[in-house]
Amino acid sequence: MNIEAVKAIYRFEMARARRTVFQSIVSPVISTALYFIVFGSAIGSRITQIEGITYGSFIVPGLIMLMVLTQSIANASFGIYFPKFTGTIYEILSAPISSFEIVLGYVGAAATKSLILGLIILATAHLFVPLEILHPFWMLSFLVLTCITFSLFGFIIGVWADGFEKLQIIPLLMITPLVFLGGTFYSISMLPPFWQTVSFFNPVVYLVSGFRWSFFEMADVNVWFSLAMIGFFLALCMGTIWWIFKTGYEIKD
Amino acid sequence: MIKTIDEFVTYGQEGFSWMQTKNTNRSVIQIKNLSKTYPPDFKALNEINLEIEHGEIFALLGPNGAGKTTLISIICGISNPTSGRVLVNGKNIISDFRATRAIIGLVPQELTTDAFETVWDTVSFTRGLFGKSRNPAYIEKILRQLTLWDKKDDKIMSLSGGMKRRVLIAKALSHEPDILFLDEPTAGVDVELRKDMWEIVRGLQKTGVTIILTTHYIDEAEEMADRIGIISKGELILVEEKSTLMKKLGKKQLALELQVKLKKVPKKLKKYKLELVNDGNCLIYTYDTKAKHTGITALLSELSDAGIKFKDLNTSKSSLEDIFVNLVKEKT
């Protein structure tokens, strides 16, 4: 295994995050604070509690998921797309490095950044609302798995994209709506039965539900099912990436 | 002179047999029947056979779109071959890609660099990518050799085109490669920098690095190369030692400055295919250096018989550019 290469890519990507700290960290934290103000204060004043949890606290896991999902995709997709765009991908392709090591470097860095961001948002949320994490190990496991899975997904988007529009289209048109409709700001049980059924086709529901369970032992679906869904999506992303490198899709002639 | 495609093929085959018998055990790169087809049916490379010898400077000449970059891309792992195989140091570039790529450095044709990285960081990044642990002393040595040391903390976006080209060379050398590919290294580079590049390449050769450069600057190949390959439309039409190539294919011209200008070349001299230039004041005779009889003596004798006197004469040798243009033109 070419550990030095993995370290080089990882360091390179982390250095990029440090250079763009406002975009990588400050901006998502400000967005989260705004969500707290808008949803926590404005809506929270009307919905005081959900199953015994204050609304402000209730939305914390969903907000972390919202930011972690979008930032994982953004970080990983940009990380691999930019070398394609500038042409520096030639270095990666001509280096003695396997596809697994390439993914490990890029996805590892993107997932690390998202994890750090998730933990910062958690700390920020703690300033606004009282928080108690009933299952910290599960919370961390869900967070790490989500960071990895969606960084893999972002990597796929970055490989697939042949322009900045494509790079943005899936996060904007698919991920954001799915997250907003995936129980980030409400419990699925609050919806009419028809929309509850529709919601269960939304994969983000399982992520938010499982993550929220680790905080409050409160979930829309069984926690093991949530875990299985993340595992399924993780396997799907890994399979797709394996296929990409096997065929050279959008990377090699 | 080679005049037909069949002659080219024969010539090329002779070249290959020469290579195979002479220096097979010194070959650092062996390319066998390599082809690359882009969908639907564009053949970028067609059955390329080539061996590169250890420590040589090999220049691959060809017009735009001839397949030079495709060939390099396959050897370096950037592009997949359709068929054929490539061995680097006796190892297959696909099944043993770690070993082969680790000893290859590539300077791409385009100035593809990170914009926001510093020179030091980007060169160090490439070293890591090729599996080498950090070695600040070595990176410093390369940057100093390439006169980049003063720019080590500058962002690449702030550098001139020539400096960026040097950065690409530094990156390619960062992992101490045995083989260096330079894909049109002096394209768009001013004359002074081009000469600097040549010096750098010569210096690298002295350290034992095998260098393969593609170019369509003939003077570059003429100046630098030990051997030359000419590629056109995806086919390697000849591979030869530069000196031998010049000797074999080079034609010489005899220019006779006349005492009295002529209106036209006398019919008696038609067989010499003379050209009347410079407003009738100069006769040009082109002859084959390989021929048993160049015909110069006979020509001079017949000129004397015809009463054509000359005040001066000189000979000139065709350049590699002439050879290249002739070959490619006849091939097409």
Side-chain angles (χ1 to χ4, degrees):
Chain A
M1 181 143 166
N2 189 347
I3 292 289
E4 290 296 334
V6 177
K7 276 160 55 181
I9 295 173
Y10 186 87
R11 277 197 222 107
F12 181 90
E13 284 297 298
M14 294 307 285
R16 190 165 62 81
R18 280 195 294 278
R19 280 200 308 270
T20 56
V21 70
F22 193 86
Q23 180 197 334
S24 306
I25 303 290
V26 179
S27 173
V29 169
I30 289 173
S31 299
T32 309
L34 287 172
Y35 279 122
F36 269 117
I37 292 164
V38 174
F39 286 92
S41 303
I43 299 175
S45 60
R46 291 166 187 263
I47 309 169
T48 49
Q49 284 198 338
I50 297 174
E51 296 184 32
I53 312 291
T54 62
Y55 185 71
S57 302
F58 176 84
I59 63 171
V60 170
L63 277 178
I64 294 172
M65 275 289 156
L66 171 67
M67 288 301 159
V68 163
L69 252 65
T70 49
Q71 288 301 310
S72 295
I73 291 172
N75 282 326
S77 62
F78 196 78
I80 189 65
Y81 175 73
F82 203 61
K84 277 175 59 188
F85 175 72
T86 58
T88 53
I89 189 82
Y90 84 88
E91 270 197 297
I92 307 287
L93 296 176
S94 62
I97 178 169
S98 69
S99 35
F100 173 72
E101 289 152 2
I102 294 173
V103 172
L104 199 60
Y106 279 107
V107 171
T112 305
K113 284 184 260 182
S114 303
L115 183 65
I116 292 168
L117 178 70
L119 295 174
I120 289 174
I121 291 173
L122 182 63
T124 310
H126 200 57
L127 300 174
F128 288 87
V129 290
L131 271 177
E132 192 185 352
I133 303 165
L134 295 178
H135 302 284
F137 175 76
W138 277 93
M139 188 279 288
L140 210 57
S141 303
F142 269 115
L143 191 60
V144 170
L145 277 173
T146 306
C147 290
I148 294 171
T149 304
F150 280 83
S151 294
L152 285 168
F153 188 54
F155 188 88
I156 294 166
I157 293 171
V159 170
W160 167 75
D162 56 8
F164 282 98
E165 193 183 10
K166 269 192 179 177
L167 200 64
Q168 297 289 336
I169 207 162
I170 289 188
L172 283 176
L173 296 184
M174 277 182 65
I175 301 301
T176 307
L178 286 177
V179 177
F180 272 82
L181 300 172
T184 303
F185 298 106
Y186 56 85
S187 167
I188 301 298
S189 61
M190 294 163 75
L191 297 173
F194 173 77
W195 290 109
Q196 280 190 33
T197 310
V198 170
S199 293
F200 288 124
F201 286 97
N202 179 354
V204 177
V205 166
Y206 303 94
L207 303 180
V208 174
S209 172
F211 195 50
R212 187 171 282 138
W213 178 87
S214 68
F215 279 75
F216 312 121
E217 278 189 352
M218 181 181 113
D220 292 316
V221 289
N222 183 289
V223 65
W224 289 105
F225 197 64
S226 288
L227 195 64
M229 285 300 283
I230 296 180
F232 171 72
F233 199 55
L234 181 69
L236 198 65
C237 289
M238 289 171 88
T240 308
I241 287 173
W242 174 82
W243 174 81
I244 283 170
F245 279 102
K246 188 169 181 283
T247 59
Y249 171 77
E250 294 288 339
I251 292 185
K252 271 191 183 186
D253 291 329
Chain B
M1 281 293 293
I2 290 175
K3 295 191 184 303
T4 66
I5 291 174
D6 288 339
E7 283 178 43
F8 290 140
V9 172
T10 310
Y11 189 89
Q13 285 166 347
E14 283 170 6
F16 294 135
S17 60
W18 171 81
M19 282 188 302
Q20 283 159 2
T21 52
K22 191 179 173 188
N23 268 319
T24 301
N25 57 352
R26 293 189 64 224
S27 296
V28 71
I29 298 176
Q30 293 168 292
I31 301 167
K32 310 261 185 192
N33 304 320
L34 187 71
S35 293
K36 174 72 182 178
T37 305
Y38 290 103
D41 57 359
F42 173 68
K43 275 211 158 186
L45 293 177
N46 189 19
E47 295 284 317
I48 299 286
N49 286 284
L50 176 64
E51 297 197 9
I52 306 291
E53 292 160 27
H54 176 75
E56 73 171 331
I57 298 181
F58 185 88
L60 194 58
L61 282 172
N64 287 331
K68 305 185 295 291
T69 301
T70 304
L71 180 59
I72 285 185
S73 297
I74 290 173
I75 300 169
C76 294
I78 297 167
S79 192
N80 292 321
T82 306
S83 62
R85 67 176 184 151
V86 180
L87 303 178
V88 174
N89 253 359
K91 291 175 179 165
N92 192 292
I93 56 160
I94 293 172
S95 59
D96 214 346
F97 74 95
R98 283 187 198 273
T100 62
R101 291 184 198 172
I103 59 166
I104 293 177
L106 167 66
V107 181
Q109 188 176 334
E110 304 289 335
L111 287 174
T112 45
T113 54
D114 298 298
F116 308 107
E117 290 288 303
T118 64
V119 171
W120 179 272
D121 286 346
T122 196
V123 176
S124 302
F125 168 71
T126 307
R127 183 176 171 85
L129 210 53
F130 279 76
K132 294 266 184 175
S133 56
R134 287 182 175 193
N135 187 344
Y138 181 74
I139 302 290
E140 181 179 340
K141 187 179 145 196
I142 296 174
L143 295 184
R144 284 191 187 280
Q145 277 175 349
L146 293 164
T147 61
L148 281 169
W149 181 245
D150 293 342
K151 307 278 183 189
K152 69 179 169 47
D153 296 321
D154 289 7
K155 284 188 176 174
I156 298 166
M157 62 194 288
S158 69
L159 302 180
S160 67
M163 282 293 172
K164 282 180 186 164
R165 184 73 67 186
R166 284 168 193 261
V167 171
L168 288 177
I169 295 176
K171 280 164 81 72
L173 294 174
S174 66
H175 60 284
E176 302 160 58
D178 296 333
I179 302 164
L180 182 66
F181 283 94
L182 297 154
D183 195 0
E184 304 205 5
T186 55
V189 165
D190 63 40
V191 177
E192 195 180 345
L193 187 57
R194 191 189 292 188
K195 288 190 174 166
D196 281 355
M197 292 280 180
W198 292 351
E199 281 307 309
I200 291 165
V201 171
R202 280 196 198 93
L204 288 170
Q205 189 191 26
K206 281 178 191 161
T207 64
V209 177
T210 304
I211 292 153
I212 298 102
L213 65 92
T214 72
T215 182
H216 48 227
Y217 294 127
I218 312 291
D219 56 337
E220 192 159 81
E222 204 166 341
E223 175 78 25
M224 302 293 305
D226 298 315
R227 283 198 308 147
I228 287 170
I230 296 182
I231 188 168
S232 178
K233 295 195 169 178
E235 291 185 18
L236 201 56
I237 54 182
L238 76 82
V239 176
E240 191 56 275
E241 295 254 4
K242 182 182 69 184
S243 53
T244 314
L245 179 67
M246 303 288 287
K247 203 170 153 189
K248 276 186 177 176
L249 294 180
K251 61 183 178 181
K252 272 194 155 184
Q253 288 189 322
L254 171 69
L256 300 159
E257 277 188 51
L258 305 175
Q259 285 186 3
V260 180
K261 74 175 181 180
L262 289 176
K263 283 186 180 173
K264 60 177 185 176
V265 178
K267 280 185 182 174
K268 280 173 70 179
L269 302 173
K270 200 177 174 184
K271 61 183 174 184
Y272 294 104
K273 295 177 183 169
L274 299 171
E275 288 174 77
L276 193 58
V277 297
N278 199 14
D279 204 21
N281 285 304
C282 184
L283 272 176
I284 302 286
Y285 172 55
T286 303
Y287 59 98
D288 188 351
T289 54
K290 291 185 295 176
K292 203 170 181 181
H293 302 288
T294 58
I296 293 174
T297 313
L299 171 68
L300 295 180
S301 172
E302 287 198 38
L303 282 171
S304 177
D305 293 347
I308 299 171
K309 293 180 179 174
F310 50 91
K311 54 185 177 188
D312 197 7
L313 63 84
N314 65 68
T315 60
S316 62
K317 199 175 168 184
S318 61
S319 69
L320 184 56
E321 180 156 6
D322 301 324
I323 296 167
F324 171 73
V325 169
N326 284 338
L327 277 173
V328 174
K329 197 190 289 175
E330 294 208 27
K331 174 71 181 170
T332 52

